[in-house]
C-alpha cells in the first residue's frame, strides 16, 4: 500500500513460527454446464504446490444440479506466514463415482497463495480453463477464517473460613481446576499457588485459554477442588464444588460470587454439616488473545520498504567481484534478498506499491552523497510496483550512480519511522511497517542507528537486515536484540526487539525459501506484541 505523509493532527506471544489452522469456504458462481439433460454436479478439489508439484489436499462434497454451489465441506490448511503457500482450486462436474479426476468434466480452476486469501479475508476471481481462458462466466469465491479459539479467561479467586487441616496451625490452601476428559474422568487444567497459614486465602489472578479450561464451552461443568498443601505430597482434601464458566462470569468486582466448598465424606457423616468454607470468585473476565492472523484477517496491511547499500565497499557493479554485479542468471545477493522477503510480504499489501531507497551513493547531476534516495530517481514518488518493480528500478539505477560512503543506516530508519508515527494517529491496527535493509558491512553511524532503532521500537515497525558478502557483521548482531536489550547512546532501552539480522552467506547453498523463513520468523510475534502493547484489537474483530 502506498503511503504519503498527512499533516499531523493536533492534539507472549505465541510460538516462534506462526502456525495455525485456516478454514477455507468455497462457493462457485455461474459454472459451466457440462450436463446435457440437467445442470452440472460440481465438486471442488484443493491442491497445494509441494516441491514444484501440485498435490491434492482435499475435496468437497458434490453439489447436485447446481451451477452456483456453496460447498458445506470446508478445507482446513496449516498457515505459515514465512512461506509462499501456493494453492489451486479446481472444479469438476461429477460424472461417475470414480476418484480419478480425469473421469470428470473440468469446470475451471483458480490459483493463488494462501497469503493472498488471508490478507483479503474473502476473494472472488474468474475461473480459468487449461488454456488460460475464462471458463465461461464461472467465478469462485474463497473466504478464510482462523480456526483457533483465541479467548482467554482471567479468574481472581479467594477463600473464607476454610477447614483447618493442620494440627498446630492454619491450612495452606490451593485450588485445582478440572474439566471432564474424553474418557469421562476429570482432567487437571490449572493449579493455583499455595497460600501459607490462612483460612481466608486470596490467590493471585491467573489467565488460561478458554479451550484449556472448558473446551471453549462456557456451559460445561468444571470441578474446583481445594486442598491443604503438605510438603510430603500427601495434600489434605478440604472440599470441592462444580460450576461453569458462564456461572463464574456472573461475578462482578462489586458483587463477587460465593460458592460453598463441600467435603462429601463429611457431608454424609455429619447431620449439621454446612460446608468446609466458601470459595469466592472475585472476578471472571473472558477476553481475546489476538493472533497475527487475527490482525491480518482484520485488515492490517504490511507496509514494505527496501533500503539498499550502494557504498564503495560493494565494488564496481560492472566487475564480477562486486556484490552488485548482476550475473548471467540475472541475479546477485541483493536481488536474492529482495525476492526472498518481498514475495512473501507483497501478499499482505493491497496495492503492492513499495518505496525502494538507496544510501551511500553520489547522485547525478551534482554528485552529492545521499543516504536516503529513491532508486527510481523520483523523490516525490519512490514507489515501485510489486517486487518486480523494485528489481527493475534497482537494475536501472546501477549505471547512473557512483558508489561512495559512509554506511549510514539512521536516515532510512528515521524515514520509515516518520510514516509509522503517522499510523499511530489512526488508533487502529491498520498498518505495520517493515524495513528491509540490505548491506555489505560495517555501520558508520552506530550511535545514531542505535538511537533510531530504540525510537522505532515504540512504533508499528520492524527492521530486517540482510548482510551480503563476507564482512564482519558483529555490529548487526548487536542491533538484533535477541540476547540482550538494545540501548540508545542516551541509555534509553528499546521497548521491544524489532531488528532481525541474517547473514546471506549462511543461506548461499540452501533452497531460497529458507532465507525467507529465517528472516521472517520473528515478524508475526513482533506485530502481535506491538498491537497488544498498544491495546489495539484487530480492526474488524468481533465484540466479546
Amino acid at each position: 500500500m502506498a503511503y504519503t505523509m498527512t499533516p499531523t493532527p493536533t492534539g507472549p506471544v505465541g510460538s516462534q513460527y506462526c502456525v495455525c489452522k485456516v478454514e477455507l469456504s468455497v462457493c462457485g458462481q455461474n459454472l459451466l454446464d457440462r450436463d446435457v439433460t440437467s445442470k452440472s454436479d460440481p465438486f471442488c478439489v484443493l491442491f497445494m504446490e509441494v516441491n514444484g508439484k501440485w498435490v491434492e489436499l482435499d475435496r468437497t462434497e458434490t453439489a447436485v444440479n447446481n451451477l452456483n454451489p456453496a460447498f458445506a465441506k470446508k478445507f482446513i490448511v496449516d498457515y505459515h506466514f514465512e512461506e509462499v503457500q501456493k494453492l489451486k482450486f479446481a472444479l469438476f462436474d461429477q460424472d461417475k463415482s470414480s476418484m480419478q479426476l480425469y473421469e470428470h468434466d473440468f469446470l475451471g480452476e483458480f490459483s493463488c497463495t494462501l497469503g493472498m486469501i488471508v490478507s483479503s479475508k474473502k476473494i472472488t476471481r474468474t475461473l480459468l480453463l487449461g488454456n488460460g481462458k475464462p471458463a465461461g462466466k464461472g467465478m469462485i469465491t474463497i473466504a478464510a477464517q482462523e480456526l483457533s479459539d483465541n479467548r482467554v479467561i482471567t479468574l481472581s479467586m479467594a477463600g473464607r473460613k476454610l477447614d483447618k487441616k493442620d494440627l498446630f496451625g492454619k491450612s495452606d490452601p490451593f485450588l485445582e481446576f478440572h474439566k471432564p476428559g474424553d474418557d469421562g474422568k476429570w482432567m487437571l487444567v490449572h493449579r493455583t499457588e499455595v497460600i501459607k497459614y490462612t483460612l481466608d486465602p486470596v490467590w493471585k489472578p491467573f489467565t488460561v485459554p478458554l479451550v484449556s479450561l472448558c473446551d471453549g464451552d462456557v456451559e460445561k461443568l468444571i470441578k474446583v477442588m481445594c486442598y491443604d498443601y503438605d510438603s510430603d505430597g500427601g495434600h489434605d482434601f478440604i472440599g470441592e464444588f462444580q460450576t461453569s464458566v458462564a456461572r463464574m462470569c456472573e461475578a462482578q468486582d462489586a458483587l463477587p460470587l460465593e460458592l460453598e466448598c463441600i467435603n462429601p465424606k463429611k457431608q454424609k457423616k455429619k447431620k449439621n454439616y454446612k460446608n468446609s468454607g466458601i470459595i469466592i470468585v472475585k472476578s471472571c473476565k473472558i477476553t481475546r488473545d489476538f493472533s497475527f492472523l487475527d490482525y491480518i484477517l482484520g485488515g492490517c496491511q504490511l507496509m514494505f520498504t527496501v533500503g539498499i547499500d550502494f557504498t564503495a565497499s560493494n565494488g564496481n557493479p560492472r566487475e564480477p567481484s562486486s556484490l552488485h554485479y548482476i550475473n548471467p542468471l540475472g541475479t546477485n545477493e541483493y536481488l536474492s534478498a529482495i525476492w526472498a522477503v518481498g514475495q512473501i510480504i507483497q501478499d499482505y499489501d493491497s496495492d503492492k506499491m513499495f518505496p525502494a531507497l538507496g544510501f551511500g551513493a553520489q547522485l547525478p547531476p551534482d554528485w552529492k552523497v545521499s543516504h536516503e534516495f529513491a532508486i527510481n530517481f523520483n523523490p516525490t514518488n519512490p514507489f515501485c510496483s510489486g517486487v518486480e518493480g523494485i528489481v527493475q528500478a534497482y537494475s536501472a539505477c546501477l549505471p547512473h550512480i557512483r558508489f561512495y560512503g559512509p554506511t549510514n543506516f539512521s536516515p532510512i530508519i528515521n524515514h520509515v519511522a516518520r510514516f509509522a508515527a503517522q499510523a499511530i494517529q489512526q488508533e487502529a491496527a491498520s498498518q505495520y511497517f517493515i524495513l528491509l535493509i540490505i548491506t555489505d558491512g560495517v555501520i558508520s553511524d552506530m550511535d545514531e542507528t542505535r538511537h533510531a532503532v530504540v525510537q522505532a521500537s515504540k512504533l508499528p515497525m520492524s527492521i530486517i537486515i540482510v548482510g551480503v558478502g563476507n564482512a564482519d557483521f558483529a555490529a548487526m548482531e548487536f542491533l538484533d536484540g535477541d540476547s540482550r536489550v538494545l540501548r540508545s547512546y542516551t541509555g534509553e532501552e528499546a521497548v521491544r526487539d524489532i531488528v532481525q539480522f541474517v547473514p546471506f552467506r549462511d543461506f548461499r547453498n540452501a533452497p531460497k525459501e529458507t532465507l525467507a523463513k529465517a528472516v521472517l520468523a520473528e515478524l508475526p510475534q513482533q506485530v502481535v506484541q506491538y498491537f497488544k502493547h498498544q491495546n489495539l484489537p484487530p480492526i474488524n474483530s468481533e465484540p466479546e
Side-chain angles (χ1 to χ4, degrees):
M1 177 174 281
Y3 48 88
T4 49
M5 289 293 270
T6 50
T8 307
T10 49
V13 181
S15 63
Q16 185 181 10
Y17 291 96
C18 179
V19 185
C20 31
K21 293 197 182 294
V22 175
E23 179 185 81
L24 301 176
S25 307
V26 179
C27 303
Q29 296 92 33
N30 303 316
L31 301 184
L32 287 171
D33 200 350
R34 296 288 197 194
D35 291 351
V36 181
T37 52
S38 62
K39 293 177 177 155
S40 290
D41 306 322
F43 64 95
C44 181
V45 183
L46 173 62
F47 298 89
M48 181 178 270
E49 191 179 270
V50 181
N51 298 327
K53 294 195 177 101
W54 289 111
V55 175
E56 180 177 331
L57 289 187
D58 205 354
R59 52 180 80 179
T60 65
E61 78 282 9
T62 298
V64 179
N65 281 344
N66 193 342
L67 301 182
N68 299 286
F71 297 107
K73 165 130 189 218
K74 314 293 185 194
F75 294 126
I76 294 169
V77 185
D78 284 341
Y79 167 74
H80 300 264
F81 166 71
E82 68 286 351
E83 290 177 22
V84 176
Q85 295 175 273
K86 287 185 183 164
L87 303 177
K88 181 163 74 177
F89 299 82
L91 286 137
F92 296 87
D93 171 24
Q94 181 163 350
D95 282 341
K96 304 183 178 73
S97 57
S98 169
M99 291 298 288
Q100 301 298 324
L101 290 176
Y102 62 78
E103 299 270 10
H104 307 282
D105 290 329
F106 180 55
L107 299 176
E109 66 186 25
F110 166 66
S111 301
C112 65
T113 63
L114 184 55
M116 278 171 66
I117 302 170
V118 298
S119 65
S120 304
K121 198 168 187 181
K122 188 176 189 178
I123 58 174
T124 300
R125 296 287 187 273
T126 303
L127 286 167
L128 300 176
L129 295 170
N131 58 9
K133 291 188 175 161
K137 292 182 179 171
M139 307 286 283
I140 186 169
T141 298
I142 306 152
Q145 184 177 357
E146 185 175 4
L147 273 187
S148 65
D149 185 336
N150 58 15
R151 292 172 298 168
V152 294
I153 181 166
T154 302
L155 282 163
S156 187
M157 311 287 293
R160 189 174 72 238
K161 294 184 179 170
L162 297 178
D163 281 0
K164 181 171 168 245
K165 289 289 179 182
D166 293 349
L167 273 174
F168 302 107
K170 297 179 176 178
S171 295
D172 306 318
F174 66 92
L175 296 177
E176 285 188 352
F177 290 74
H178 298 253
K179 70 176 176 185
D182 294 337
D183 56 2
K185 293 177 182 164
W186 291 100
M187 189 170 105
L188 177 65
V189 173
H190 180 79
R191 184 182 286 124
T192 67
E193 79 280 19
V194 176
I195 307 289
K196 291 273 190 181
Y197 314 120
T198 181
L199 303 180
D200 304 298
V202 177
W203 289 281
K204 285 180 193 159
F206 66 91
T207 301
V208 290
L210 197 63
V211 171
S212 301
L213 186 62
C214 61
D215 299 326
D217 178 358
V218 294
E219 301 296 341
K220 182 175 272 193
L221 276 181
I222 56 173
K223 182 157 78 169
V224 182
M225 306 178 79
C226 184
Y227 288 94
D228 168 37
Y229 174 82
D230 273 337
S231 55
D232 63 4
H235 310 307
D236 296 320
F237 175 63
I238 294 175
E240 66 183 32
F241 61 89
Q242 291 189 18
T243 184
S244 67
V245 168
R247 177 98 170 86
M248 290 194 292
C249 280
E250 293 169 15
Q252 303 293 330
D253 290 337
L255 197 67
L257 178 69
E258 301 199 347
L259 297 155
E260 286 189 300
C261 196
I262 303 294
N263 183 329
K265 283 185 182 171
K266 278 193 175 182
Q267 198 176 31
K268 275 184 186 168
K269 281 183 189 170
K270 296 182 181 176
K271 279 188 177 172
N272 60 349
Y273 175 80
K274 198 172 178 191
N275 58 48
S276 294
I278 303 288
I279 299 294
I280 304 156
V281 183
K282 290 167 68 184
S283 78
C284 171
K285 290 191 174 68
I286 295 175
T287 51
R288 289 187 185 275
D289 186 15
F290 294 113
S291 69
F292 174 70
L293 204 48
D294 286 321
Y295 286 105
I296 295 298
L297 288 167
C300 181
Q301 296 276 301
L302 300 185
M303 321 290 274
F304 181 45
T305 301
V306 179
I308 301 172
D309 179 344
F310 291 112
T311 54
S313 52
N314 282 278
N316 183 337
R318 286 179 285 281
E319 293 176 9
S321 58
S322 169
L323 291 167
H324 280 292
Y325 174 74
I326 297 176
N327 65 29
L329 296 172
T331 188
N332 60 30
E333 292 189 357
Y334 279 89
L335 287 170
S336 297
I338 291 168
W339 273 116
V341 179
Q343 68 176 344
I344 298 215
I345 289 179
Q346 69 175 350
D347 282 343
Y348 299 87
D349 189 323
S350 56
D351 69 3
K352 300 187 181 5
M353 296 300 290
F354 307 123
L357 308 171
F359 61 93
Q362 294 175 317
L363 305 188
D366 55 4
W367 304 107
K368 279 193 177 148
V369 177
S370 173
H371 295 293
E372 48 169 323
F373 64 90
I375 65 171
N376 65 1
F377 299 115
N378 186 344
T380 57
N381 185 14
F383 302 100
C384 301
S385 178
V387 184
E388 295 89 348
I390 299 174
V391 169
Q392 286 163 9
Y394 165 78
S395 303
C397 89
L398 283 173
H400 301 290
I401 60 175
R402 288 182 192 159
F403 290 15
Y404 204 70
T407 308
N408 290 353
F409 277 21
S410 59
I412 277 187
I413 295 172
N414 291 329
H415 177 102
V416 176
R418 285 195 294 275
F419 294 101
Q422 287 286 333
I424 290 182
Q425 313 294 338
Q426 299 163 32
E427 295 181 359
S430 58
Q431 293 176 325
Y432 193 92
F433 292 75
I434 293 140
L435 169 60
L436 168 64
I437 298 177
I438 313 167
T439 180
D440 79 323
V442 183
I443 303 174
S444 308
D445 63 338
M446 192 60 181
D447 280 354
E448 291 82 358
T449 295
R450 276 165 53 200
H451 187 70
V453 170
V454 167
Q455 298 313 309
S457 71
K458 304 168 193 171
L459 301 172
M461 175 172 169
S462 288
I463 301 165
I464 294 163
I465 303 173
V466 176
V468 294
N470 295 312
D472 174 11
F473 292 123
M476 309 296 174
E477 302 280 8
F478 175 73
L479 288 175
D480 185 341
D482 282 349
S483 52
R484 62 190 174 285
V485 177
L486 181 71
R487 279 190 172 81
S488 165
Y489 58 80
T490 62
E492 185 181 359
E493 290 187 351
V495 292
R496 56 198 186 96
D497 173 21
I498 63 164
V499 177
Q500 173 77 343
F501 168 71
V502 173
F504 189 91
R505 58 182 172 233
D506 291 358
F507 299 89
R508 271 182 199 140
N509 302 316
K512 61 179 189 297
E513 300 81 36
T514 50
L515 174 65
K517 284 184 186 180
V519 161
L520 296 170
E522 292 180 10
L523 191 69
Q525 67 201 53
Q526 288 176 359
V527 172
V528 170
Q529 190 187 28
Y530 173 78
F531 288 129
K532 273 192 188 168
H533 190 260
Q534 298 298 316
N535 208 14
L536 289 173
I539 308 166
N540 302 324
S541 64
E542 298 150 25
E544 301 297 344

